[in-house]
Amino acid sequence: MRNRLLLFLLLSLMVLMLGLPGQARAQAADADQPIDVLLLLAIDASASVTTTVLEQQLTGHAAAFRDPLVQAALRSGPHGRIGVGVMLWSNPTDTRLTIPWRVLRTPEDAWAFAASIDALPRAERAGSTGLGAAMIAGHRHLMTAPFRADRLVIDISSNGFSNIGPRPEAVRAPLAEDGIEVNAIVILDEYDWLERYFSESVVVGMAPFVMAAGRERDYADALLRKLVRELSARPLDVREVAAWDK
């Protein structure tokens, strides 16, 4: 009787899995597989961010995931895969996941993720710069993600300082306790002291870092170097990168 019950449950699970859409089945399978890094891209979309700066951020992120260096880096860990999601944030009530978590393991995955970023709206948004609230939300998104990861990283992109909600320096301790790294790329279009502010008040981890960018081209280059630095579990072989570029 017990064996028949177990067989029934197994068959029911198989029917359920076969009935799911392909993407849902893939996500269910991914949840059982460990990943090297769970990376949340937290992109500033507050009122201080013009449509030009928002375009700069989104275009830069999409371009980075099309780059063979990033594609090689995301496969460089022992599991050969990462999890990634996007949060466009502004005030403390605007911190939902804009692009839900997904696993990247191939160049095709990275290109599809880049296309999802390209499809995000570019319209100006209201809302103050709730940087501390974005860190709290990022913490929550990472801890409730459906994947098991060796590293948890919040990657903040912003051109401003916190002016609403919890202060960033007041919320760093819980992130550190849960082993979450916070790194940042700052856009110096208004405040030339922003790099120091993020270094002193925002980033968290064993070796956190901040990269600064001024012009649009500077941002794309700095973001590319930042992602390769965050995702590379080992130095990338030139032949490996060349292979991904084909």
Side-chain angles (χ1 to χ4, degrees), residues 197-214:
Y197 168 77
F198 269 75
S199 296
E200 295 174 352
S201 302
V202 178
V203 297
V204 178
M206 293 293 292
F209 64 95
V210 181
M211 286 191 171

Side-chain angles (χ1 to χ4, degrees), residues 52-120:
T52 300
V53 173
L54 182 57
E55 175 70 25
Q56 174 182 340
Q57 293 182 95
L58 295 179
T59 300
H61 279 82
F65 281 90
R66 291 189 180 99
D67 194 284
L69 280 171
V70 170
Q71 293 172 7
L74 68 85
R75 286 183 55 89
S76 66
H79 305 302
R81 45 202 268 143
I82 69 164
V84 62
V86 174
M87 178 180 70
L88 295 183
W89 57 273
S90 59
N91 60 48
T93 62
D94 185 18
T95 55
R96 68 189 184 281
L97 273 183
T98 315
I99 298 178
W101 295 114
R102 66 177 68 179
V103 169
L104 307 184
R105 63 174 73 78
T106 66
E108 291 76 19
D109 292 338
W111 275 81
F113 180 63
S116 296
I117 297 175
D118 280 334
L120 293 174

Side-chain angles (χ1 to χ4, degrees), residues 163-241:
N163 56 22
I164 190 173
R167 292 164 46 236
E169 53 266 43
V171 305
R172 291 193 296 179
L175 278 77
E177 289 171 3
D178 282 330
I180 295 174
E181 306 169 34
V182 179
N183 301 314
I185 179 169
V186 295
I187 302 169
L188 306 179
D189 60 342
E190 290 191 69
Y191 309 107
D192 58 5
W193 44 265
L194 209 57
E195 184 176 4
R196 184 178 72 254
Y197 168 77
F198 269 75
S199 296
E200 295 174 352
S201 302
V202 178
V203 297
V204 178
M206 293 293 292
F209 64 95
V210 181
M211 286 191 171
R215 297 170 302 175
E216 184 174 353
R217 181 62 185 173
D218 292 339
Y219 181 87
D221 290 343
L223 179 63
L224 177 62
R225 287 185 281 110
K226 183 178 191 296
L227 288 171
V228 171
R229 178 173 172 179
E230 284 173 327
L231 298 176
S232 296
R234 53 181 170 74
L236 299 178
D237 186 274
V238 173
R239 292 169 298 177
E240 180 182 23
V241 175

